[in-house]
Amino acid sequence: SSLPSGFPASAMPAPTTSSSGVSVALPMAMEQPATEDDTAGAPAQTRWQQARGVWDRLEASLGVRPWAELTKVTRPRCSQLRPRLQQNLPLYKGNYAVLAIATSLLFCILSPQCIIAAAVLAVVWYFFLKRNSDPEWRTVVAGVELNARTRLLLLAFVSMVIFVIAVGPPLLIGVAVAAVAALAHASCLEAQEGSEEGLLATAPVV
């Protein structure tokens, strides 16, 4: 028999043959269409998994140790400063590197000159890319005509110089603050059991 309009073909009963030779139609399970909530939540979950994967690879490449180990801080005695620094700085250099990156980015975001420079460069690049795609645009500098590729490389170089000038001071401040914080934290962090043996094993013999 013919199916009504819009009725899925997968819902047709599958014919089977009974022991008496009579064909019997058994109903098949109908496929449930994906809801709008399922399709909307899938991309967000995928983006979160991708971001988590990038973060995990970054931590693995930097040799980041569990962050819970950095909470065991005590007030050091004078005789403990040097041993703790010699042990904790190499042991947690990956964690301190992540903190330095985060601190530098925070200082850059909070810097007005960085925001202004980024906004100006974004506007310049927007209009430049639109204009640079025009094959009839001719640019002559010192009697030399610049093609589209040369103009692109020239603007990229100028943008990099401007960005370094704008981002340089807050970036250096962020790195300096992170370095001081790392030294202070490493001097207050308790020595981990088993780490001293590893450091002694890898230390050069005089």
Side-chain angles (χ1 to χ4, degrees):
S1 59
S2 60
L3 293 174
S5 177
F7 195 83
S10 59
M12 279 291 296
T16 59
T17 304
S18 63
S19 59
S20 60
V22 180
S23 297
V24 181
L26 297 178
M28 297 179 63
M30 297 181 61
E31 297 180 357
Q32 296 294 334
T35 61
E36 185 176 354
D37 294 339
D38 296 338
T39 57
Q45 185 177 5
T46 303
R47 287 193 296 269
W48 168 253
Q49 292 176 351
Q50 292 176 350
R52 183 64 184 177
V54 172
W55 176 256
D56 292 340
R57 288 193 295 271
L58 176 63
E59 287 189 336
S61 62
L62 294 176
V64 176
R65 293 179 62 88
W67 292 95
E69 296 181 4
L70 276 71
T71 59
K72 303 175 182 179
V73 294
T74 57
R75 184 176 180 180
R77 296 189 299 268
C78 294
S79 59
Q80 294 176 328
L81 288 176
R82 185 174 179 179
R84 287 188 176 186
L85 289 174
Q86 289 179 341
Q87 174 185 340
N88 293 329
L89 286 178
L91 188 61
Y92 297 101
K93 59 182 179 181
N95 302 74
Y96 294 140
V98 172
L99 293 178
I101 295 173
T103 304
S104 302
L105 291 177
L106 180 62
F107 272 84
C108 292
I109 293 174
L110 297 179
S111 174
Q113 63 183 16
C114 292
I115 298 175
I116 294 174
V120 171
L121 289 177
V123 173
V124 170
W125 273 96
Y126 173 77
F127 288 104
F128 171 78
L129 292 177
K130 290 183 63 177
R131 181 63 172 167
N132 200 42
S133 60
D134 186 3
E136 298 182 357
W137 186 29
R138 298 289 183 268
T139 305
V140 179
V141 177
V144 179
E145 184 176 352
L146 304 180
N147 56 20
R149 179 180 177 83
T150 305
R151 291 193 298 261
L152 183 65
L153 294 176
L154 182 61
L155 183 58
F157 176 76
V158 174
S159 301
M160 183 179 63
V161 173
I162 295 175
F163 190 76
V164 169
I165 294 175
V167 176
L171 187 65
L172 292 177
I173 294 174
V175 172
V177 171
V180 173
L183 290 174
H185 180 269
S187 62
C188 296
L189 185 63
E190 293 183 357
Q192 299 295 326
E193 296 182 0
S195 299
E196 294 181 354
E197 297 178 359
L199 290 176
L200 291 175
T202 57
V205 179
V206 180

